[in-house]
Amino acid sequence: MFTMKNVYNNQHLACDVTRNDVTLSFTLGNIVGKRNKPEINQDHHYDVLNSYLYYKGDEFKDKLFKLYTEANDSILDSMLVTDDIVLPTAIVHNILDILDAVDIERYLTDVYKLYVPNSVDRDIPDDIEKDGRVTRVQTYSRKDYLELAALVLITKATLPIIGEYAYIKSEELNTALKEYILFEFYSGHNIVNNPAMVKLFGFGKMIIEQEAKVENVDAIRVIEKFISRDQVPTFLLANVLFNKVAMETLIDSSDDNLLVKKVYTFITGKIKIQIGSANAIKEKKALPDVDGSEGDRESFIESYRVLSEPVGYAVELNWYLSDIDRIVRDLGVSFSPKLLLDAKLAASKFITHDIGDYHIYILSVIFKRVINPKAINYMDIDSIINIVTVGFAYLWTGKYYNLAILLLAAPVTDNSNNIVINTTANKNRLSKELKDALTVIYPYERVINDDKTVNVVEESINTLVNNMYELLWVPIVSNKYIDACNLANKGNSNRYISRDRLLTSDLKLLIAEFIIENESILFGKEK
């Protein structure tokens, strides 16, 4: 016996996967929206998939259940990890490997005898686009429909694993991008080349192109504030897969319940929701700059913030960050009042510039024990000033002078009047000692090929610093801090800086050392 069915465990919607007398329970609550819960809770939600698994025989069911068991163990292990890491995509890829879309389509056609609605033509006419009213990508033939039905069973089979992972990592998942992030479980696998998935992708891309030409362009722009324009079709595809395709039962295939119609309605509806978000963008009054002039002090992170964000969380967070003394106390450190005063003055100037990847990266390392690293997305201007102020003081007191000055530096393009000093020729690589220490703290590797892997944190440092070298960094702090930095680094010319040259050749080493020391594993003693 092998069955999959939906149940409620401790008020959470779950999928129980049972093989003989052993049952694995996977929580679905965080991936299944409230709108879909009544639909997915139907007793026959997995009927067609269960019938296919029965058809495949005991050996196939044993292998599949073993993969579910391994996936369950892997997800439980991930509970021990609180940092952002590469998604454990292998636990889904292994299941995708044994689910043959062609075989499933054949089963649905010849064995299950899936009813294809009469409104679905056997073939798509060659002149379908002649009158310009419809396109080939939005038209489904009988074969297209059966390929989509096969994709329904494939996504349904992976939903328990992805759902459980989403539940375990619920506090770390960006709600607005949840489906888009979880789509990574499919990326890198040949499933993305599945004809039904390719057609859905093209379908979303077509609608995006249509909507961008009319009044709904603001909706597209709202989505683009989260992701790049070329990723918007993938964003829609991920939402369709998790919210419609995986929810489909295939039991009622009548013309009134046509899956293709559901998909089209969902995608266009998603755009309409974004229109509402676009209209809800906060309008902030321009605040006076520190020099007394009027200007837009809205930070880059706050740009295009929408009212649909979790208001209660944002209010609580900004209340917490409104008190610098409270932040410092919870960090378990102390700073001189003069240092904090200087840092806050500089941070108030800094906030008029864009916050870049470096700032977010370093702030995440510093404050990960106090607040969620992603919380910066919900901070108002004063909160960002306070967290950057404390961040600078934290780095400076810890004798990471170069990193502190960079935290209060603005990245600018080369159209400024400043002179760009090329420091890329002598960028030091991480030593074996540092790499080993990072691996102890973050034992997560990304496979490059059969013979090579790379630690994900080491890779993130390399990517971060390489991108930093492409910009000019202008310091906001006064010259006395640059002079003090050079005095502290006397005898180490690699770390000398000037107002025109903030990026040193050993920046990767500095960041790695700071991460390690902050974890109190290797560099716990005073430097």
Side-chain angles (χ1 to χ4, degrees), residues 480-492:
K480 72 176 182 179
Y481 282 98
I482 293 177
D483 293 340
C485 174
N486 289 333
L487 181 62
N489 288 323
K490 187 176 182 180
N492 187 352

Side-chain angles (χ1 to χ4, degrees), residues 9 41 89 96 129 164 194 209 219-220 258 293 301 306-307 327 352 382 386 388 390 441 478 496 514 517 522:
N9 288 340
N41 197 37
T89 54
L96 291 173
E129 299 179 345
E164 179 69 14
N194 174 281
E209 292 171 350
I220 311 301
L258 189 61
S293 61
I301 287 199
V306 296
L307 292 176
I327 303 171
T352 62
D382 291 331
N386 285 350
V388 171
V390 176
I441 302 169
S478 63
Y496 283 2
F514 170 63
E517 175 165 347
L522 186 61

Side-chain angles (χ1 to χ4, degrees), residues 220-489:
I220 311 301
R221 287 174 178 165
V222 169
I223 300 176
E224 288 174 8
K225 293 306 160 186
F226 297 108
I227 54 178
S228 61
R229 170 170 286 239
D230 63 346
Q231 288 298 306
V232 174
T234 303
F235 171 85
L236 290 178
L237 171 62
N239 275 269
V240 167
L241 283 178
F242 290 119
N243 290 291
K244 281 301 167 191
V245 175
M247 300 299 121
E248 179 62 30
T249 65
L250 298 177
I251 298 296
D252 180 9
S253 297
S254 63
D255 289 337
D256 292 335
N257 198 42
L258 189 61
L259 174 58
V260 178
K261 185 188 298 183
K262 291 181 180 179
V263 168
Y264 179 82
T265 302
F266 178 83
I267 293 179
T268 54
K270 193 72 177 173
I271 297 298
K272 287 182 173 61
I273 291 174
Q274 298 303 328
I275 295 173
S277 294
N279 293 332
I281 291 175
K282 290 181 177 178
E283 294 183 358
K284 289 182 179 275
K285 180 180 179 181
L287 298 176
D289 221 328
V290 290
D291 60 2
S293 61
E294 292 293 321
D296 185 3
R297 277 187 58 198
E298 182 178 63
S299 71
F300 174 75
I301 287 199
E302 290 190 304
S303 298
Y304 301 96
R305 171 134 345 125
V306 296
L307 292 176
S308 57
E309 289 173 349
V311 178
Y313 175 71
V315 171
E316 181 180 0
L317 174 71
N318 287 302
W319 170 83
Y320 173 80
L321 294 176
S322 65
D323 187 342
I324 284 183
D325 291 338
R326 180 167 46 227
I327 303 171
V328 172
R329 182 176 62 250
D330 287 351
L331 275 177
V333 291
S334 62
F335 310 119
S336 76
K338 181 65 169 63
L339 176 62
L340 285 173
L341 183 64
D342 287 349
K344 187 160 187 176
L345 179 62
S348 298
K349 296 178 181 178
F350 164 78
I351 202 64
T352 62
H353 300 276
D354 287 354
I355 292 181
D357 290 341
Y358 168 78
H359 306 103
I360 296 174
Y361 193 100
I362 295 299
L363 290 173
S364 296
V365 175
I366 296 172
F367 294 102
K368 58 182 261 184
R369 294 182 181 87
V370 178
I371 59 175
N372 188 313
K374 292 192 179 77
I376 197 167
N377 293 303
Y378 304 110
M379 296 177 195
D380 59 26
I381 291 174
D382 291 331
S383 293
I384 295 176
I385 289 174
N386 285 350
I387 201 172
V388 171
T389 296
V390 176
F392 176 87
Y394 185 91
L395 290 165
W396 191 265
T397 303
K399 302 181 182 179
Y400 281 96
Y401 307 111
N402 298 70
L403 298 186
I405 291 174
L406 278 172
L407 186 63
L408 279 172
V412 297
T413 53
D414 58 9
N415 60 356
S416 70
N417 294 323
N418 293 281
I419 301 173
V420 178
I421 306 296
N422 188 345
T423 59
T424 58
N426 189 34
K427 289 181 291 185
N428 293 350
R429 296 181 178 180
L430 299 188
S431 66
K432 184 179 184 304
E433 181 185 23
L434 289 175
K435 290 181 180 180
D436 290 345
L438 286 174
T439 301
V440 170
I441 302 169
Y442 301 99
Y444 308 110
E445 304 285 325
R446 186 176 71 82
V447 177
I448 297 178
N449 53 48
D450 292 340
D451 302 319
K452 188 175 182 181
T453 61
V454 62
N455 179 276
V456 294
V457 177
E458 177 192 347
E459 185 177 44
S460 71
I461 294 173
N462 288 332
T463 301
L464 176 72
V465 173
N466 289 340
N467 290 337
M468 290 176 69
Y469 277 115
E470 295 178 2
L471 296 169
L472 177 71
W473 290 74
V474 178
I476 306 299
V477 296
S478 63
N479 285 338
K480 72 176 182 179
Y481 282 98
I482 293 177
D483 293 340
C485 174
N486 289 333
L487 181 62
N489 288 323

